[in-house]
Amino acid sequence: MIDTVKAQFEVLDDRFRRCNGDDRMERLHTGCRWTEGPAYFPAGRYLLFSDIPNERVLRWDETTGAVGVFRQPSGYANGHTVDRQGRLVSCEHGNRRVTRTEHDGSITVLADRVDGRRFNSPNDVVEHSDGSVWFTDPDYGISSDYEGNQGDSETGGCHVYRIDPVTGRARIVADDFDRPNGLAFSADERHIYIVDTPAKHIRRFDVGDDGTLSGGEVFGTCDAGVFDGVRVDSAGRLWAAAHDGLHCFDPDGTLIGKLRVPEVVSNLTFGGAKRNHLFITATGSVYALRVNFAGVRYP
């Protein structure tokens, strides 16, 4: 029998009343130490997600419901994304690098240093339509051996980076964060939302044609623990992982509702043929439900 829990959509603003879905959420898998980085592959109909402290990436098969090990050791991989060629891009805490898994299974290192200095522990990653790869680099993976390998920071802080699609060089695009975490582009890619976890807020930046950022005002604040991963839906709403579930923000920054989850949520992604299958990583489990909205389709 499939393990399910009641899906609780909490309306805080009338604009959220149109958001709903399955009456119950499926618990696809449990028994992990800390799940993160859900990434859905439509061609194979499977979901990859990290179990960071156990240094493994797991794979859930949509056609059979089976869960198995995709990669172990994983370099304490955290966040993932699927690029526009269907390849896995991963942030590896333990190896302090961002990698891409090619179609033949080989691994390409996209970046492991900035100006000759090793990163702290790349955390979450997104791709822009120009081919650039953007990622956050807090110090969670070097602060202890739990989610990586304890070590010293060489970068002088926790920053946000952009890997140039032509030169392959990584450069800092934001350096005024405590510990940057989840990040997501708006539908038109003119803005990027970036979480600063200890500050308990999300900031919104304007994205220039040359990949530079400006602005950076606070977009939303957390009233339940801290924020982690974020994603944007096709209506421009921002969904943020928090301690009591997913928080949904209208494009104007208003918190309009929540999807309650019985474990602390780390991240989310949209999958399925219509991008309306919502996958949620939360503490030791992975949840899923079909919803009546969809993840954004980027350029």
Side-chain angles (χ1 to χ4, degrees), residues 84 186-188 232-234 273-275 294-299:
R84 284 164 173 78
S186 62
D188 59 10
V232 174
D233 69 18
S234 59
K274 298 182 178 180
R275 306 185 314 283
V296 66
R297 185 186 294 276
Y298 288 109

Short mmCIF file of all heavy atoms in Angstrom, two decimals, residues 84 186-188 232-234 273-275 294-299:
data_model
loop_
_atom_site.label_atom_id
_atom_site.label_comp_id
_atom_site.label_asym_id
_atom_site.label_seq_id
_atom_site.Cartn_x
_atom_site.Cartn_y
_atom_site.Cartn_z
N ARG A 84 19.56 22.13 -20.30
CA ARG A 84 18.70 22.09 -21.48
C ARG A 84 19.06 20.98 -22.46
O ARG A 84 18.35 20.80 -23.45
CB ARG A 84 18.71 23.48 -22.14
CG ARG A 84 17.85 24.48 -21.36
CD ARG A 84 18.14 25.91 -21.76
NE ARG A 84 17.20 26.84 -21.14
CZ ARG A 84 17.25 27.25 -19.88
NH1 ARG A 84 18.21 26.80 -19.06
NH2 ARG A 84 16.37 28.11 -19.41
N SER A 186 13.12 34.16 -12.47
CA SER A 186 11.75 34.44 -12.87
C SER A 186 11.52 33.86 -14.26
O SER A 186 12.47 33.46 -14.95
CB SER A 186 11.48 35.95 -12.86
OG SER A 186 12.33 36.60 -13.81
N ALA A 187 10.27 33.82 -14.70
CA ALA A 187 9.94 33.19 -15.98
C ALA A 187 10.68 33.83 -17.14
O ALA A 187 11.10 33.13 -18.08
CB ALA A 187 8.44 33.24 -16.21
N ASP A 188 10.85 35.15 -17.12
CA ASP A 188 11.53 35.85 -18.21
C ASP A 188 13.02 36.00 -17.97
O ASP A 188 13.72 36.60 -18.80
CB ASP A 188 10.90 37.22 -18.47
CG ASP A 188 10.93 38.13 -17.23
OD1 ASP A 188 11.60 37.78 -16.23
OD2 ASP A 188 10.27 39.19 -17.28
N VAL A 232 9.83 28.54 -9.12
CA VAL A 232 8.80 29.43 -9.65
C VAL A 232 7.80 28.62 -10.46
O VAL A 232 8.19 27.70 -11.19
CB VAL A 232 9.45 30.52 -10.54
CG1 VAL A 232 8.39 31.39 -11.21
CG2 VAL A 232 10.39 31.40 -9.71
N ASP A 233 6.50 28.97 -10.34
CA ASP A 233 5.50 28.27 -11.14
C ASP A 233 5.12 29.11 -12.36
O ASP A 233 5.61 30.23 -12.55
CB ASP A 233 4.29 27.86 -10.30
CG ASP A 233 3.43 29.03 -9.82
OD1 ASP A 233 3.53 30.15 -10.39
OD2 ASP A 233 2.63 28.83 -8.88
N SER A 234 4.25 28.57 -13.20
CA SER A 234 3.93 29.20 -14.48
C SER A 234 3.14 30.50 -14.32
O SER A 234 3.04 31.27 -15.28
CB SER A 234 3.14 28.22 -15.36
OG SER A 234 1.95 27.82 -14.72
N ALA A 273 4.90 14.99 -17.20
CA ALA A 273 4.76 15.41 -18.59
C ALA A 273 4.26 16.84 -18.72
O ALA A 273 4.59 17.53 -19.69
CB ALA A 273 3.80 14.45 -19.31
N LYS A 274 3.47 17.30 -17.74
CA LYS A 274 2.90 18.64 -17.79
C LYS A 274 3.49 19.57 -16.73
O LYS A 274 2.97 20.66 -16.50
CB LYS A 274 1.38 18.57 -17.64
CG LYS A 274 0.68 17.80 -18.75
CD LYS A 274 -0.82 17.80 -18.57
CE LYS A 274 -1.51 17.06 -19.71
NZ LYS A 274 -2.99 17.05 -19.55
N ARG A 275 4.57 19.13 -16.07
CA ARG A 275 5.24 19.91 -15.03
C ARG A 275 4.31 20.24 -13.86
O ARG A 275 4.50 21.25 -13.18
CB ARG A 275 5.85 21.20 -15.61
CG ARG A 275 6.78 20.98 -16.78
CD ARG A 275 7.47 22.26 -17.24
NE ARG A 275 6.56 23.39 -17.36
CZ ARG A 275 5.69 23.57 -18.36
NH1 ARG A 275 5.62 22.68 -19.33
NH2 ARG A 275 4.91 24.62 -18.38
N ALA A 294 1.51 24.51 -12.55
CA ALA A 294 2.69 23.85 -13.14
C ALA A 294 3.93 24.67 -12.91
O ALA A 294 3.88 25.89 -12.67
CB ALA A 294 2.48 23.64 -14.64
N GLY A 295 5.06 24.01 -12.98
CA GLY A 295 6.33 24.70 -12.91
C GLY A 295 6.54 25.54 -14.16
O GLY A 295 6.01 25.23 -15.23
N VAL A 296 7.28 26.62 -14.01
CA VAL A 296 7.52 27.52 -15.13
C VAL A 296 8.28 26.81 -16.25
O VAL A 296 9.10 25.93 -15.98
CB VAL A 296 8.28 28.77 -14.64
CG1 VAL A 296 9.68 28.38 -14.16
CG2 VAL A 296 8.37 29.83 -15.72
N ARG A 297 7.99 27.21 -17.47
CA ARG A 297 8.77 26.73 -18.63
C ARG A 297 9.70 27.87 -19.04
O ARG A 297 9.25 28.92 -19.50
CB ARG A 297 7.87 26.35 -19.79
CG ARG A 297 8.63 25.74 -20.97
CD ARG A 297 7.73 25.50 -22.17
NE ARG A 297 6.73 24.48 -21.90
CZ ARG A 297 6.95 23.18 -22.01
NH1 ARG A 297 8.14 22.72 -22.34
NH2 ARG A 297 5.99 22.31 -21.76
N TYR A 298 10.99 27.67 -18.87
CA TYR A 298 11.96 28.73 -19.15
C TYR A 298 12.27 28.79 -20.64
O TYR A 298 12.05 27.83 -21.37
CB TYR A 298 13.24 28.49 -18.34
CG TYR A 298 13.08 28.77 -16.86
CD1 TYR A 298 13.06 27.73 -15.94
CD2 TYR A 298 12.97 30.07 -16.39
CE1 TYR A 298 12.90 27.99 -14.57
CE2 TYR A 298 12.82 30.35 -15.04
CZ TYR A 298 12.78 29.30 -14.14
OH TYR A 298 12.64 29.56 -12.79
N PRO A 299 12.82 29.93 -21.08
CA PRO A 299 13.21 30.06 -22.49
C PRO A 299 14.17 28.96 -22.92
O PRO A 299 14.97 28.50 -22.11
CB PRO A 299 13.88 31.43 -22.54
CG PRO A 299 13.31 32.19 -21.39
CD PRO A 299 13.08 31.16 -20.31
#
